[in-house]
Amino acid sequence: MTEPTVRPGDMHPLPEVPGERPPKPRPAPLPDPESAEYWAAARDGRLLVQRCEACGHHQLYPRAVCVVCHGPVSWIEASGRATVYSFTVIRQNHSRPFRDWMPYVVALVDLEEGPRIMTNIVGCDPEDVRVDMPVRAARFDRVSDEAGLVLFAPEG
Amino acid sequence: MSGRRAVIAGVATSDYPNLPGMSEHAVHAQAASRALADAGLDWSDVDGFATTGFFPMYAVGVAEYLGLRPTYFDETNAGGASFEVLVEHAAYAIERGAAEVVLVTYGSVQLSQMGRTLGTGGGGGGGRMAPGPAVYDALWGNTLVGSYALAARRHMHEFGTTTEQLASVAVTMRDHAAHNPQAQYREPITVEDVVSSRLVADPLHKLDCCVISDGGGACVVTSAERAADLPRPPVYVLGGAHATTHHMNVSADPDLTVTAAAMSGPLAFARAGITPADVDVAQIYDSFTITVVLSVEDLGFCAKGEGGAFVADGGLGLGGRLPTNTDGGGLSACHPGMRGMFLIVEAVRQLRGEGGATQVPDARIAVAHGTGGMLSTGATLVLGREAP
């Protein structure tokens, strides 16, 4: 197993340096009854979206009911394909570990199924990210026993 | 419409922008005393109270601190837009006869509490984030500035808006602040200064972001009848409306280029019986330069997508199409966290002809438009110096 390389925008866990404060991990969500399955799937490398059993609408974040018709919802696995709706390169954030990852890309991506989610774009220079760029769910970072976070990278 | 009309009989700002010796509640008290004195009213005249802050029963707590026992109170929290909502509600209460004199106050010592470092509202690492919509943005290291930057980037993509156009908002606000002796920053700046200042979250630079201040303000809402023998010319609450699109997570906003102002603006103008062309002076929440561009479009002062050209052509300046933020705004004068009260105070001063060097000649109708959260809420208040 190779050590992850720390490059701008890659947001890999930082290596421990003797004599310095230990690196902080990414914050983790506290799952609740509506989100537990979503977080657990991401921990296992799968991106889920909710589908309304009544009207077929797809949604995230997880809710107990469909946001359009208020019918019952169930989970389906998303394709992982998405396009960048908008993005920013964060160059100031005093919170660790994000402070140590700057500059990094925060993006809103539109999943092929419809829902828009917040994520990070990794695997490319932050300067190369563009609006409408095709991206795919490329990395699922485990952040706790119950949860993982999906990160995206440019398609191809 | 018949019956009682609500008016603003007194306004005041507290000292600002740096109040190391004052508590948050003391800022409320100072602003309230000044606004009541401006209105020619006494604390004993107050039977209604409204304010808001960041913990439950906030208005009840401030009322107690001020020694008030109000029979009307309100603490609706719409973030920075709260005070436009609170005055709209107070006007309804006055017109309904549910209150005679409503005192609305705001106070903050954010700068003294937090220090001078620019806060970006980023989620801290290493911990566990409680369930709720906000985590779906915060877990990826998004920041407060980042949320507005996402809107700015999308607006630039869809409409060709440029960083220089955004920067022109900050330049105009600084021009106005030069005439405000209390303003936090008064030295003139150029578009070049803004776009060469440090990037905080692309495409927003440091000078695209509001300042961080201590300060507060207050206003007194009563009936036109009650105001008839008070010292100041009454300012009529002609109409108000508010709306929301999402909470603190911009990922839930269906269109980052359209804000709640697109709902609150037309409603408020219809209730006031005016059109955007009737507005002489505007006070528009300027948390970031992009906030103003989005607001002037959504309020109907220009078409969607033309906000960049509107602000770059001097549209917000004195003598421009829509003189805006005549006190220097949150970008230069004062931004203690929820700036909405300052918009109302400055709008009233303009309508009373007390604007000094930045007075808009013969201003008859003013708009105060607040934006709160992460472009989450919008609240529009139409004020006029003549009875409708």
Side-chain angles (χ1 to χ4, degrees):
Chain A
M1 189 173 161
T2 53
E3 283 295 310
T5 358
V6 180
R7 283 188 316 207
D10 261 3
M11 309 183 83
H12 282 299
L14 296 161
E16 290 214 29
V17 178
E20 291 187 13
R21 278 202 298 180
K24 275 201 174 184
R26 282 187 92 114
L30 270 176
D32 65 4
E34 291 177 13
S35 64
E37 194 163 344
Y38 176 75
W39 296 124
R43 174 201 61 198
D44 298 337
R46 295 184 306 131
L47 175 60
L48 301 185
V49 301
Q50 288 185 321
R51 183 178 184 281
C52 176
E53 294 173 9
C55 76
H57 177 72
H58 293 104
Q59 70 182 18
L60 283 177
Y61 57 91
R63 297 166 168 96
V65 295
C66 170
V67 74
V68 173
C69 76
H70 306 94
V73 294
S74 52
W75 292 104
I76 64 163
E77 186 161 351
S79 71
R81 286 188 290 272
T83 55
V84 173
Y85 173 75
S86 192
F87 72 96
T88 178
V89 183
I90 303 290
R91 300 178 192 274
Q92 182 168 331
N93 184 350
H94 296 291
S95 303
R96 301 168 71 209
F98 299 109
R99 186 183 68 190
D100 304 315
W101 284 333
M102 294 188 299
Y104 61 90
V105 178
V106 163
L108 292 169
V109 300
D110 290 335
L111 304 182
E112 190 174 56
E113 293 78 9
R116 178 175 301 157
I117 61 172
M118 189 74 77
T119 189
N120 301 122
I121 308 293
V122 294
C124 69
D125 191 315
E127 306 295 335
D128 292 338
V129 178
R130 297 285 180 272
V131 175
D132 286 347
M133 170 190 261
V135 291
R136 63 188 161 78
R139 213 169 93 198
F140 292 85
D141 282 8
R142 185 189 178 103
V143 291
S144 72
D145 288 346
E146 304 100 359
L149 301 182
V150 61
L151 311 183
F152 283 69
E155 187 74 80
Chain B
M1 194 153 78
S2 63
R4 283 155 55 106
R5 293 297 314 197
V7 301
I8 297 175
V11 293
T13 50
S14 74
D15 294 344
Y16 69 83
N18 194 355
L19 310 172
M22 289 177 80
S23 73
E24 181 174 298
H25 283 39
V27 179
H28 282 271
Q30 185 188 66
S33 292
R34 291 176 181 175
L36 286 167
D38 186 59
L41 290 166
D42 189 76
W43 285 95
S44 60
D45 296 312
V46 175
D47 66 342
F49 181 68
T51 186
T52 199
F54 287 106
F55 52 89
M57 294 182 70
Y58 185 83
V60 173
V62 179
E64 177 196 272
Y65 177 93
L66 296 174
L68 296 170
R69 301 287 184 272
T71 53
Y72 166 91
F73 56 88
D74 184 14
E75 65 176 34
T76 305
N77 194 324
S82 299
F83 299 90
E84 283 67 38
V85 181
L86 296 175
V87 169
E88 181 195 346
H89 287 174
Y92 297 151
I94 295 293
E95 288 167 3
R96 181 74 168 79
E100 293 298 324
V101 174
V102 181
L103 173 66
V104 189
T105 70
Y106 171 58
S108 164
V109 288
Q110 177 179 260
L111 171 62
S112 294
Q113 278 179 349
M114 294 170 54
R116 292 171 179 282
T117 305
L118 177 67
T120 50
R128 305 257 279 176
M129 290 190 180
V135 305
Y136 295 101
D137 284 13
L139 286 166
W140 283 271
N142 188 33
T143 63
L144 191 162
V145 183
S147 294
Y148 285 81
L150 287 161
R153 172 72 66 196
R154 186 68 197 184
H155 199 274
M156 292 165 74
H157 174 78
E158 287 194 24
F159 304 113
T161 311
T162 66
T163 52
E164 287 78 12
Q165 289 174 333
L166 294 177
S168 69
V169 176
V171 172
T172 303
M173 297 309 103
R174 187 63 63 88
D175 288 346
H176 297 173
H179 302 288
N180 176 355
Q182 276 187 278
Q184 197 158 344
Y185 294 96
R186 302 179 61 200
E187 290 295 309
I189 53 173
T190 64
V191 165
E192 178 56 29
D193 290 333
V194 180
V195 299
S196 63
S197 67
R198 183 168 45 83
L199 276 166
V200 177
D202 302 19
L204 296 181
H205 304 78
K206 182 184 176 197
L207 292 178
D208 286 299
C209 305
C210 63
V211 300
I212 294 180
S213 323
D214 301 328
C219 69
V220 181
V221 187
T222 188
S223 65
E225 294 81 353
R226 182 68 189 267
D229 57 358
L230 295 178
R232 297 296 198 182
V235 166
Y236 289 83
V237 181
L238 300 180
H242 52 277
T244 176
T245 51
H246 60 283
H247 191 217
M248 301 304 271
N249 45 329
V250 287
S251 54
D253 186 358
D255 187 345
L256 272 177
T257 68
V258 180
T259 71
M263 294 185 280
S264 70
L267 273 175
F269 295 156
R271 289 170 185 174
I274 67 154
T275 70
D278 297 320
V279 178
D280 299 308
V281 58
Q283 311 298 333
I284 295 176
Y285 207 107
D286 57 340
S287 46
F288 299 92
T289 50
I290 182 64
T291 318
V292 179
V293 171
L294 293 168
S295 299
V296 294
E297 293 173 350
D298 292 338
L299 293 172
F301 294 114
C302 65
K304 179 52 68 183
E306 293 176 6
F310 184 96
V311 300
D313 292 345
L316 307 176
L318 303 170
R321 291 158 70 186
L322 185 72
T324 295
N325 295 352
T326 40
D327 65 343
L331 286 164
S332 281
C334 183
H335 190 285
M338 293 194 290
R339 188 182 147 73
M341 178 59 78
F342 287 80
L343 307 176
I344 296 164
V345 172
E346 182 65 13
V348 168
R349 287 176 173 165
Q350 285 283 331
L351 293 172
R352 298 198 312 206
E354 300 166 1
T358 59
Q359 176 66 44
V360 173
D362 198 33
R364 291 164 181 272
I365 292 179
V367 162
H369 177 77
T371 299
M374 308 289 173
L375 291 166
S376 317
T377 64
T380 313
L381 206 55
V382 182
L383 304 175
R385 73 179 197 205
E386 285 147 24

